Amino acid sequence: MINLLFDTARSRKKLYPFSLTRPLCDIRMGMVSNRKWLEKISGKPCLALSAAFLQQDIIPESGSFLCIDSSIVLTKELFEQLQKLSVNQALEDENGLVGFVTGKPPVFDVFPIFFDHVMRAENPVSRIEHPMDWVR
């Protein structure tokens, strides 16, 4: 399964001007970015899906993709819960979609409407909702 962090148009707008220069997953939170943290805990490379002018990673055309919202502060526990998902399953919290697994290559800001199964996050999920959240 390919790990992929995706930006949403909604989260990109909330995090201007930082989101104009790079994908959200590449903005450092402390010593590391979300992308580097995910690569460390998963042991695999991670791709980023963002607006066209920021897109640098080439998304493969086949395989299954674990898609995780870039505005989420990842923890090992949350990643373990996301890894349990199968194709066409999603994980959400009270604020919306946390991540999902798809068998098709994802497209920026286009998400599946229906999933076979949607699970609730076991623990509270922290999100970066405002640029000041990076320094708290």
Side-chain angles (χ1 to χ4, degrees), residues 3 5 31-46 74-76 79 83:
N3 293 328
L5 289 160
M31 293 195 50
V32 297
S33 65
N34 243 0
R35 183 196 299 236
K36 293 298 180 192
W37 177 245
L38 180 56
E39 288 174 350
K40 182 179 179 354
I41 62 176
S42 71
K44 295 192 277 186
C46 175
L74 279 170
T75 62
K76 288 181 182 178
F79 182 68
Q83 281 187 305

Side-chain angles (χ1 to χ4, degrees), residues 73-90:
V73 179
L74 279 170
T75 62
K76 288 181 182 178
E77 295 80 21
L78 179 60
F79 182 68
E80 288 169 3
Q81 193 174 2
L82 286 162
Q83 281 187 305
K84 295 176 186 174
L85 297 175
S86 300
V87 173
N88 211 22
Q89 291 185 339

Side-chain angles (χ1 to χ4, degrees), residues 104-116:
K104 299 176 184 173
V107 178
F108 174 67
D109 220 30
V110 177
F111 308 106
I113 298 173
F114 300 104
F115 295 100
D116 292 340

Side-chain angles (χ1 to χ4, degrees), residues 47-63:
L47 303 175
L49 181 64
S50 190
F53 70 95
L54 293 173
Q55 188 64 40
Q56 294 178 352
D57 294 335
I58 298 172
I59 308 299
E61 294 187 20
S62 63

